[in-house]
Amino acid sequence: MLPNPLDKKDRMLLNLLQQDCMLSLQALADAVSLTTTPCWKRLKRLEDEGYIRGRVALLDGEKLGLALTAFVLIKTQQHSSSWFQQFVTLVQAMPEVMGFYRMAGEYDYLLKVQVADMKSYDGFYKRLVNGIPGLIDVTSSFAMEEIKYTTALPVAP
């Protein structure tokens, strides 16, 4: 079943929720010129159709002692289904991994990793490379400064 097309009010709701998912139903309804019941029905539909995957609080990594961001590029010669499942299971179980992507191009996978410091990263790296056979190149780059970070998708109204 295909999702319903989004209208202007749906897109406005999605943008508002991306800015602050703690807004009350009344505040959301007022912002899009609806009463609460139709607004709630729209939100429910947007969730049911998968436009809204979840509602979370965004935390400050530095204040939590997780100031080092690493981007890890991985090459492998293994491409079997069983190896892939083993690799995915290993990486998904690592709480330091904030993003995990299968790539096209020179590298096969990209990880975004958030840790406290270089010693913590070294522990993560050792668990990764010793946890799965077949990794032929693991290259890491470290962010010196976060210039832009957002979780908001560009949803045009």
Side-chain angles (χ1 to χ4, degrees):
M1 183 172 128
L2 293 174
N4 292 321
L6 298 177
D7 66 14
K8 186 175 181 176
K9 289 185 186 295
D10 292 334
R11 292 177 183 280
M12 288 172 63
L13 284 169
L14 292 173
N15 278 319
L16 288 164
L17 288 172
Q18 286 189 110
Q19 293 169 29
D20 184 357
C21 74
M22 298 294 291
L23 289 171
S24 69
L25 180 58
Q26 186 65 59
L28 290 168
D30 290 346
V32 298
S33 302
L34 291 172
T35 59
T36 55
T37 299
C39 185
W40 180 85
K41 287 180 180 178
R42 282 176 181 263
L43 292 171
K44 178 79 170 109
R45 180 179 54 79
L46 291 168
E47 287 178 344
D48 291 346
E49 292 177 358
Y51 289 103
I52 300 172
R53 296 191 321 189
R55 299 181 197 191
V56 299
L58 301 176
L59 307 180
D60 187 306
E62 281 195 39
K63 288 185 178 180
L64 292 168
L66 301 168
L68 183 65
T69 302
F71 296 93
V72 183
L73 292 159
I74 299 170
K75 286 184 188 178
T76 182
Q77 291 178 328
Q78 301 290 324
H79 297 285
S80 71
S81 179
S82 61
W83 181 89
F84 176 75
Q85 287 298 27
Q86 184 183 2
F87 180 56
V88 167
T89 299
L90 172 75
V91 173
Q92 285 181 336
M94 301 176 103
E96 303 92 339
V97 177
M98 305 303 295
F100 179 23
Y101 306 90
R102 190 168 61 86
M103 306 294 290
E106 183 178 351
Y107 288 90
D108 298 308
Y109 300 95
L110 169 68
L111 309 178
K112 179 183 177 190
V113 176
Q114 196 78 33
V115 292
D117 51 28
M118 192 57 71
K119 183 176 180 178
S120 299
Y121 178 77
D122 187 47
F124 164 83
Y125 175 87
K126 288 174 183 172
R127 288 192 333 270
L128 175 67
V129 298
N130 293 322
I132 187 93
L135 303 181
I136 59 171
D137 185 5
V138 178
T139 301
S140 304
S141 294
F142 301 94
M144 297 187 324
E145 177 183 13
E146 183 179 88
I147 297 170
K148 178 181 179 180
Y149 170 78
T150 183
T151 61
L153 296 173
V155 180

